Amino acid sequence: MCVESDGCEIEGCSSSDEVRTLSGSMSPRLRSSPDLHPCTPGEKFRAALLRCRSPVVAAVFLSFGNVLNYMDRYTVTGVLLDIQRHFQVSDSGIGLLQTVFICSFMVAAPIFGYLGDRFNRKVILSCGIFFWSIVTLSSSFIGKKYYWLFVLSRGLVGIGESSYSSISPTIIGDLFTNNKRTIMLSVFYLAIPLGSGLGYILGAGAKDAAGDWHWALRVSPPLGITAGALILLFVPEPKRGSADQMGGCMRARTSWICDMKALAKNRSYVFSSLASASVSFATGAFGMWIPIYLTRAQVVQKTVDDCTTDVCSSTDSFIFGAITCVTGLLGVVIGAATTRFCRQRTERADPLVCAVSMLGSAIFICLIFVVAKKNIAGAYVCIFIGETLLFVNWAITADILMFVVIPTRRATAVAFQSFISHLLGDAGSPYLIGQISDSLQKSYTTSALWKFLSLGYALMLCPFIIVLGGMFFLATALFFLDDREKAEKQLNKLTRPPSSVRV
């Protein structure tokens, strides 16, 4: 028996000797049952906890965890010049940090996707947060002779963060449907640019405050442990597909091999994954190299001096971080609003909005390299517009996946999409850009001007990859309706009405 009494709703207990109506007045017919006993403090805490486990609260805490996930990832990038000087490594060597991180991230993603479709998801992702928090904190004590160990630590952090990114969107997908799901996923994916930008700001700010870049790695771990505890306490574990079943009961899930075959035949899923890889390529390369590129531009303009001290200037990291935060917010809001508006006119709105934003972004990113040599302010304006357009598609891509993939294989789909996007995207782009830059510097006389130009020529690869991503989104639009209809039919087959209703 479950009774509500003075705000305590626990089976078999009552916090008072009398039961009141909702208005608060005493009901003479409602008296406490002799089978009820007063609530213990533990039962009262559990009742309060259950009341706080609403879908909106869960989405807020999951989004908070995602902010910390990306903040930790880009804290290193905010102090990249200091790390490069501390360990005395080349452009390609410093680019290896992000490459190792992403490689471990993408290899672990399918494993966590498999686990996320079969076991308790919030426990898995909370353990992942605890793991990367401990490893990040430990890496701040590595000596300058052990760069290989620092690189290895970033790989371990990638494994921990992979568990979170692969599983948490599927929990939101099972808590909301349709436009509500689009809004909540937009909020969740807003955490990516917001966390990335805060990572630059946090890293640079902690370094300046302490006078030592190692302290940049000692701020996010306590916050991560706090987020993991909040998720364990306040995020429910919804039944897979509960938001899509409309009162039905989901039958037994299919095998992993069957899931992978179905995903490989899903054309919308394949093309949107390739488009996501194009976005990852560009954002991975830009996130790593743009602050350094703009610093070198200012050295060429002779507005700043080249870094020769132990603590390098953090101005560009601060500015780029702030731009990333603002453009992320604008991009996600514009993307959600535009998609919602365009859905009233075409059912292919989701992939078409992504395609247009990608193609527009490529234009402004090209302009960065035209104006950076002469005008840093103009370069920042181009970055602002280009990043805003690029961020438009982040939440929409996840929503496309929710439409064309059935609930029982969504964690696998998210994880494998993450694997593909990182494998073909930011797993190699930071190292590739650094390698091209190093090769160009070796081929010609090394100077401040040529260091700036060589990195700019290497980064020019990004706009072409973005255009390719726009083409993949256009291909997604061709098959989107067919694949969505197939997913709805499969869901109907997997869903059966409840055999009985408990009164």
Side-chain angles (χ1 to χ4, degrees):
M1 182 179 181
C2 190
V3 212
E4 180 174 348
S5 176
D6 287 350
C8 184
E9 189 174 315
I10 292 292
E11 185 175 348
C13 76
S14 174
S15 62
S16 67
D17 293 333
E18 296 169 329
V19 182
R20 298 181 181 273
T21 62
L22 291 176
S23 63
S25 61
M26 186 71 67
S27 173
R29 296 185 180 181
L30 294 177
R31 300 292 176 181
S32 58
S33 169
D35 296 330
L36 296 180
H37 58 83
C39 289
T40 65
E43 288 170 335
K44 290 182 179 179
F45 175 75
R46 180 170 173 267
L49 196 62
L50 289 173
R51 284 195 299 273
C52 292
R53 285 184 174 178
S54 69
V56 173
V57 170
V60 168
F61 283 124
L62 289 172
S63 299
F64 174 62
N66 207 29
V67 168
L68 296 178
N69 225 29
Y70 280 84
M71 189 171 74
D72 178 79
R73 182 183 303 188
Y74 284 95
T75 295
V76 168
T77 312
V79 292
L80 202 61
L81 275 174
D82 302 88
I83 295 174
Q84 188 174 25
R85 283 189 53 80
H86 181 78
F87 289 106
Q88 295 295 312
V89 291
S90 63
D91 283 355
S92 57
I94 203 68
L96 196 62
L97 280 176
Q98 187 75 350
T99 295
V100 169
F101 173 91
I102 295 299
C103 285
S104 62
F105 183 101
M106 70 179 185
V107 169
I111 299 173
F112 287 117
Y114 175 86
L115 297 175
D117 278 335
R118 288 156 179 82
F119 301 101
N120 190 297
R121 291 173 286 185
K122 71 171 185 176
V123 171
I124 296 172
L125 60 89
S126 294
C127 290
I129 292 180
F130 295 144
F131 179 75
W132 69 248
S133 297
I134 294 170
V135 173
T136 298
L137 182 62
S138 302
S139 68
S140 67
F141 299 99
I142 296 174
K144 64 170 59 179
K145 294 182 180 180
Y146 300 97
Y147 182 65
W148 64 271
L149 187 58
F150 188 76
V151 173
L152 177 62
S153 72
R154 297 309 297 168
L156 294 176
V157 170
I159 294 174
E161 293 190 12
S162 178
S163 67
Y164 196 91
S165 298
S166 302
I167 296 174
S168 47
T170 67
I171 297 179
I172 295 177
D174 285 335
L175 291 172
F176 303 94
T177 57
N178 300 326
N179 284 332
K180 285 186 178 180
R181 184 167 63 195
T182 302
I183 294 171
M184 290 304 171
L185 284 174
S186 297
V187 173
F188 178 81
Y189 283 103
L190 168 63
I192 298 179
L194 180 62
S196 303
L198 289 176
Y200 288 101
I201 296 170
L202 174 70
K207 178 198 70 175
D208 290 344
D212 182 1
W213 68 267
H214 292 88
W215 281 94
L217 303 178
R218 297 169 186 169
V219 179
S220 59
L223 297 175
I225 293 173
T226 302
L230 290 173
I231 288 170
L232 281 175
L233 288 174
F234 294 107
V235 175
E237 175 64 23
K239 291 182 180 179
R240 291 163 180 83
S242 57
D244 301 285
Q245 291 173 37
M246 297 182 179
C249 298
M250 191 68 68
R251 296 179 184 176
R253 63 179 63 88
T254 53
S255 67
W256 186 80
I257 298 297
C258 180
D259 290 345
M260 294 307 299
K261 288 181 178 179
L263 293 175
K265 295 178 181 178
N266 190 323
R267 294 166 295 184
S268 296
Y269 174 76
V270 171
F271 282 120
S272 63
S273 297
L274 292 173
S276 180
S278 302
V279 177
S280 294
F281 186 98
T283 54
F286 267 56
M288 175 69 76
W289 291 114
I290 280 295
I292 295 179
Y293 175 73
L294 295 178
T295 299
R296 292 181 181 179
Q298 293 171 79
V299 171
V300 170
Q301 296 173 20
K302 297 182 179 180
T303 55
V304 300
D305 296 325
D306 199 4
C307 180
T308 57
T309 60
D310 291 336
V311 180
C312 300
S313 173
S314 304
T315 303
D316 291 297
S317 292
F318 272 118
I319 296 175
F320 187 72
I323 287 176
T324 302
C325 290
V326 176
T327 55
L329 173 62
L330 287 176
V332 170
V333 171
I334 291 171
T338 305
T339 304
R340 190 170 182 175
F341 174 78
C342 292
R343 280 177 184 169
Q344 300 173 8
R345 287 157 176 76
T346 173
E347 293 183 331
R348 304 179 193 270
D350 296 61
L352 289 176
V353 169
C354 290
V356 172
S357 67
M358 290 279 282
L359 297 175
S361 174
I363 297 173
F364 288 96
I365 288 176
C366 280
L367 292 176
I368 295 172
F369 310 109
V370 176
V371 302
K373 185 179 177 181
K374 299 293 185 181
N375 191 329
I376 291 297
Y380 276 125
V381 171
C382 294
I383 291 171
F384 186 92
I385 300 174
E387 277 199 342
T388 300
L389 293 172
L390 198 59
F391 289 148
V392 161
N393 68 80
W394 277 13
I396 305 174
T397 304
D399 213 22
I400 291 173
L401 184 148
M402 299 296 173
F403 278 120
V404 300
V405 178
I406 60 173
T408 53
R409 59 173 65 114
R410 280 179 184 162
T412 298
V414 171
F416 196 70
Q417 186 176 79
S418 176
F419 177 84
I420 293 297
S421 64
H422 290 308
L423 176 66
L424 302 178
D426 53 354
S429 63
Y431 180 75
L432 177 62
I433 298 301
Q435 192 65 49
I436 294 173
S437 177
D438 282 347
S439 299
L440 291 173
Q441 289 180 45
K442 291 177 182 177
S443 302
Y444 299 90
T445 304
T446 301
S447 65
L449 176 60
W450 189 244
K451 286 175 68 177
F452 161 71
L453 291 176
S454 62
L455 185 54
Y457 292 148
L459 286 168
M460 279 292 289
L461 179 62
C462 294
F464 296 99
I465 299 297
I466 293 173
V467 170
L468 185 62
M471 298 297 104
F472 284 133
F473 273 126
L474 289 176
T476 302
L478 292 176
F479 305 108
F480 178 68
L481 297 183
D482 290 340
D483 290 329
R484 187 179 66 178
E485 184 179 354
K486 289 178 183 177
E488 291 172 352
K489 289 180 179 178
Q490 290 173 6
L491 180 61
N492 291 333
K493 289 180 181 178
L494 287 173
T495 306
R496 64 173 185 270
S499 57
S500 62
V501 180
R502 183 176 300 176
V503 180

